[in-house]
Amino acid sequence: MSFLVMEGDEVDYIWETICKIQLIFHPKYSREGSISYKEISELKHSKKIIVLLDRNLLSGQLKLARDGFLKDDMEMRIIALLMTWIIMNNFSASAGLALLEYGTKINDSIEPKKELKEFNNIFEYYHSMIWLRLAEGEINSIPICLLPVSPYITQINYNEEDHHLLMHTAEMLHLVYLQKRRDLSPIEKMIEFLKWNYKYLLISESTIVYVAMLFTNQSGIKAPKNSGCNDINKIINGCKNQAWDLNYLSNWSCFHYAEETMDEIFMFATNDVQLKMIFINTYGEGGVGALIEAVFSRSDSKKIFELIKENQGIKRVKPDFGANPKQYFRRLIEDETLRLKKEIHV
């Protein structure tokens, strides 16, 4: 990576644009995608800042390097903007979760390792000023970065589904089942989902936010892909895809809650509208409670809060995942798949 020299107005342009398009998120330093230059400038003296890329950003970055341009001009400028922002601040970038998403979807670990090598090569291959000029619109393409012929050497199995992903997959299957229950009102669906969630899994705030917004038909929130059809295989694939969106936030939150004792701060980069909405409503002012009050009536919100209070007390018996949690989650996925099959008469 080469040294990046910028004028004062260029620095302002990058920071202002990053905040304007709401690209970088953190529960403390960027709850709504607007980052404080002063706070981050002070923070990076004591912490190593790492930016986690989602799959869409990584895929766009790799395609841009392979072809030298993107057909979607706005996407190309945004990726260049992100690269400029990372380099100018001397932050680190991580594609780990995005590579895991790719590996689990194709059930292969070699291809993600090739992408990891390609990702690393991009930071070494390009002169830093190229990203700035591309972000500013002064150039419309970049030199093609040759593809690696061998995978990056690492012991990570990128095709291995983790606990979070399996839990979210089970959640999304149950969600689709409730979506298909036309005899239930939005508040009844929400209550049923929460009861099921408390009984079988741990609670994820981002999942509760997504479910609440979906059941109340909030603009910009979509059900898992193909959930409206009766093809069980398409429904399962759609649920897995939506599970990955939630998996980014729940996996990343594990880093966030341990940041006080860590030398690193992990920020999340995404340009996905739905992911942004879930994040903002999970970590914004008032958090999950404020979101529930905003999308449900006062009486319905009260029912939800009473249920949450009952299940968060010291008397609550948490589900036992046993000695093999993955086996437990996979069995739950099978049960929810069977429930869905019965609902759609397969």
Side-chain angles (χ1 to χ4, degrees), residues 28-41:
K28 183 177 180 181
Y29 304 104
S30 185
R31 291 182 178 180
E32 297 185 1
S34 182
I35 319 162
S36 168
Y37 174 81
K38 181 179 179 181
E39 283 188 330
I40 297 301
S41 296

Side-chain angles (χ1 to χ4, degrees), residues 62 65-67 114 117-118 121 144-150:
L62 295 178
R66 292 165 185 166
D67 299 341
K114 288 183 179 179
K117 193 168 187 178
E118 189 177 358
N121 286 352
I144 293 174
C145 182
L146 297 178
L147 295 175
V149 295
S150 58

Side-chain angles (χ1 to χ4, degrees), residues 52-76:
L52 304 175
L53 276 62
D54 75 354
R55 182 65 201 175
N56 288 340
L57 286 174
L58 176 64
S59 295
Q61 182 203 49
L62 295 178
K63 183 169 178 55
L64 174 57
R66 292 165 185 166
D67 299 341
F69 71 98
L70 293 179
K71 291 181 179 179
D72 188 326
D73 188 74
M74 181 61 71
E75 181 187 6
M76 182 170 68

Side-chain angles (χ1 to χ4, degrees), residues 95-114:
L97 290 175
L99 294 171
L100 281 169
E101 178 179 357
Y102 181 42
T104 55
K105 284 184 176 179
I106 66 173
N107 192 26
D108 180 80
S109 193
I110 300 300
E111 289 303 314
K113 291 178 181 179
K114 288 183 179 179

Side-chain angles (χ1 to χ4, degrees), residues 115-132:
E115 282 198 350
L116 176 56
K117 193 168 187 178
E118 189 177 358
F119 176 71
N120 291 336
N121 286 352
I122 287 172
F123 283 88
E124 296 296 328
Y125 183 78
Y126 292 104
H127 191 286
S128 302
M129 292 299 293
I130 283 179
W131 298 115
L132 175 61

Side-chain angles (χ1 to χ4, degrees), residues 314-332:
I314 58 175
K315 293 183 180 180
R316 185 204 171 193
V317 178
K318 293 183 179 181
D320 182 7
F321 300 149
N324 190 337
K326 286 189 177 182
Q327 186 179 64
Y328 172 93
F329 302 139
R330 289 193 172 104
R331 189 179 303 118
L332 186 59

Side-chain angles (χ1 to χ4, degrees), residues 220-232:
I221 300 299
K222 299 178 181 178
K225 190 176 181 180
N226 297 316
S227 60
C229 75
N230 289 332
D231 186 319
I232 191 64

